């Protein structure tokens, strides 16, 4: 029985996948003590590059390669944990490179406390191109950069984890009903739905399980050039609003007038010609202003999804 089951879900990214798998063959934990499950969600993978990848990985004795035709990251993650032989499931992105002690340190985190539901670790960026000036520290979490510092500990209330390096107790995944297939990425990245991990973590927070952070359980994670554009971040903000609304519409609809005020204040901060819908796409290199723009896009998406009619009261003077 392996101590840890490492699950990598992949979609037509075989070159980066090789690096992720290679990093798992250099772990300090003996390979007979953990297993690797590759869940390949690429269409027609069995007859294409997926078949070549499976053949290439065959010499790795603790690796199992699975073709999964049903699309969606959440479904692939569910397939992974259901096939896992261990009671501890570690998810590693296919474009991440695990540190040599990663598997061992994840296991240490589970064993250092009672009733651990989720373990998160440090995620350091591999910038494919230089980090843009408009990408401030407050936004790097959108590309899964995580570094809370310190030592192995129960995570603080403000400390969140990212899916590129996250591990769950199998019991938690089973009790929570797995990852919601209504959420999570699908296909090649055009649909940027998220929050599938957040639902499970919320389940942990509301139960007797605890969250643990171990900075030594670290990985390096590729931040691709295609994500380092303002357009991608704007899309990411709109899809985050949609994800939040789908996960809990009641919470998302709280304080809608404040969301409207945020949009108005942001637009009023711009030059007069951009104090309209164009302002949501205003080009700026200022990190703070770009962050404000993204919050306005988020707010606008929430208002639209909620069918907000507060303007009627404002226009007729009743508000």
């Amino acid at each position: 029985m392996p101590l840890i089951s490492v699950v990598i879900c992949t979609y037509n990214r075989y070159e980066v996948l090789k690096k992720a798998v290679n990093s798992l063959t250099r772990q300090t934990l003996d390979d007979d003590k953990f297993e690797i499950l590759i869940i390949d969600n690429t269409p027609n993978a069995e007859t294409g590059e997926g078949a070549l990848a499976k053949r290439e990985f065959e010499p790795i004795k603790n690796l199992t390669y699975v073709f999964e035709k049903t699309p969606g990251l959440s479904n692939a993650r569910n397939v992974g944990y259901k096939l896992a032989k261990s009671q501890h499931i570690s998810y590693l992105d296919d474009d991440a490179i695990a540190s040599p002690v990663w598997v061992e340190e994840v296991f240490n985190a589970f064993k250092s406390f009672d009733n651990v539901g989720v373990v998160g670790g440090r995620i350091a960026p591999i910038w494919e191109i230089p980090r843009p000036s408009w990408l401030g520290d407050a936004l790097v979490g959108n590309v899964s950069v995580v570094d809370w510092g310190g030592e192995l500990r129960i995570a603080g209330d403000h400390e969140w984890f990212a899916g590129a390096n996250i591990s769950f107790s199998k019991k938690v995944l089973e009790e929570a009903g797995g990852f919601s297939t209504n959420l999570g990425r699908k296909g090649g990245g055009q649909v940027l739905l998220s929050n599938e991990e957040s639902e499970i973590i919320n389940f942990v927070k509301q139960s007797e399980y605890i969250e643990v952070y171990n900075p030594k359980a670290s990985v390096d994670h590729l931040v691709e050039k295609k994500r380092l554009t303002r357009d991608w971040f704007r899309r990411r903000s709109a899809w985050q609003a949609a994800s939040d609304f789908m996960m809990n519409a009641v919470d998302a609809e709280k304080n809608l007038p404040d969301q409207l005020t945020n949009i108005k204040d942001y637009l009023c901060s711009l030059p007069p010609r951009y104090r309209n819908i164009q302002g949501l796409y205003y080009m700026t290199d200022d990190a703070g202003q770009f962050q404000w723009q993204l919050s306005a896009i988020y707010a606008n998406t929430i208002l639209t999804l909620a069918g907000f009619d507060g303007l009627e009261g404002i226009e007729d003077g009743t508000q």
Side-chain angles (χ1 to χ4, degrees):
M1 183 72 69
L3 301 177
I4 293 276
S5 297
V6 178
V7 177
I8 302 178
C9 303
T10 191
Y11 185 99
N12 197 28
R13 289 157 60 84
Y14 297 108
E15 287 306 313
V16 293
L17 175 64
K18 291 176 185 178
K19 296 179 181 179
V21 171
N22 286 339
S23 73
L24 295 176
T25 65
R26 300 191 295 268
Q27 293 294 301
T28 55
L29 190 68
D30 293 341
D31 58 13
D32 62 345
K33 294 182 179 178
F34 72 99
E35 65 173 341
I36 304 167
L37 296 167
I38 309 296
I39 314 299
D40 191 340
N41 217 190
T42 310
N44 303 315
E46 303 98 319
T47 57
E49 288 187 68
L52 298 176
K54 180 179 181 181
R55 193 175 307 125
E56 182 177 343
F57 295 146
E58 281 179 354
I60 304 173
K61 299 303 181 183
N62 62 334
L63 186 147
T64 302
Y65 203 102
V66 179
F67 297 113
E68 174 54 36
K69 292 184 178 180
T70 302
L73 177 57
S74 290
N75 176 70
R77 284 176 164 173
N78 289 338
V79 169
Y81 91 75
K82 290 175 182 178
L83 291 175
K85 298 173 183 176
S86 170
Q87 292 304 305
H88 305 111
I89 316 298
S90 292
Y91 291 99
L92 180 72
D93 269 11
D94 60 2
D95 57 358
I97 298 173
S99 65
V101 299
W102 180 65
V103 177
E104 185 172 3
E105 289 296 338
V106 169
F107 184 70
N108 286 342
F110 275 110
K111 290 305 176 185
S112 295
F113 302 90
D114 293 331
N115 226 22
V116 177
V118 58
V119 172
R122 179 175 176 268
I123 304 176
I126 303 172
W127 302 105
E128 189 172 26
I129 61 173
R131 176 178 165 177
S133 60
W134 47 261
L135 180 52
D137 290 344
L139 294 178
V140 294
N142 287 302
V143 288
S144 299
V145 177
V146 178
D147 187 357
W148 301 116
E151 302 294 334
L152 171 65
R153 62 185 182 276
I154 296 175
D157 291 340
H158 70 286
E159 294 175 337
W160 49 266
F161 308 147
N165 175 13
I166 196 167
S167 305
F168 293 95
S169 161
K170 188 173 185 177
K171 188 177 179 181
V172 162
L173 293 174
E174 291 171 341
E175 291 179 4
F179 296 93
S180 173
T181 54
N182 292 326
L183 299 171
R185 306 293 166 85
K186 292 179 173 63
Q190 289 303 306
V191 177
L192 297 180
L193 281 170
S194 56
N195 284 6
E196 71 279 14
E197 300 114 356
S198 299
E199 274 199 331
I200 306 293
I201 292 173
N202 284 344
F203 174 84
V204 171
K205 290 180 183 295
Q206 295 165 12
S207 67
E208 73 277 14
Y209 298 101
I210 64 172
E211 305 165 71
V212 172
Y213 177 72
N214 188 358
K216 292 182 180 178
S218 65
V219 306
D220 295 328
H221 180 245
L222 178 66
V223 183
E224 296 175 289
K225 176 182 178 180
K226 67 181 182 181
R227 294 189 178 191
L228 293 172
T229 67
R230 298 177 187 82
D231 287 347
W232 187 89
F233 272 80
R234 294 185 187 108
R235 291 179 57 232
R236 178 72 178 79
S237 289
W239 280 108
Q240 185 62 55
S243 300
D244 291 347
F245 194 88
M246 290 175 66
M247 187 171 75
N248 192 325
V250 174
D251 281 351
E253 290 183 352
K254 290 180 179 177
N255 303 317
L256 292 181
D258 291 342
Q259 299 278 28
L260 179 61
T261 298
N262 180 47
I263 298 171
K264 292 167 61 180
D265 289 347
Y266 163 70
L267 293 176
C268 288
S269 74
L270 300 178
R273 63 175 294 193
Y274 292 104
R275 293 174 187 172
N276 50 54
I277 193 66
Q278 294 182 80
L280 298 180
Y281 313 98
Y282 178 68
M283 295 291 286
T284 178
D285 288 323
D286 182 87
Q289 188 173 54
F290 185 62
Q291 181 183 350
W292 196 0
Q293 180 183 105
L294 296 181
S295 74
I297 290 172
Y298 178 96
N300 185 62
T301 306
I302 290 291
L303 290 174
T304 302
L305 292 172
F308 182 62
D309 60 359
L311 283 176
E312 293 180 7
I314 293 173
E315 290 170 351
D316 64 19
T318 60
Q319 292 186 7

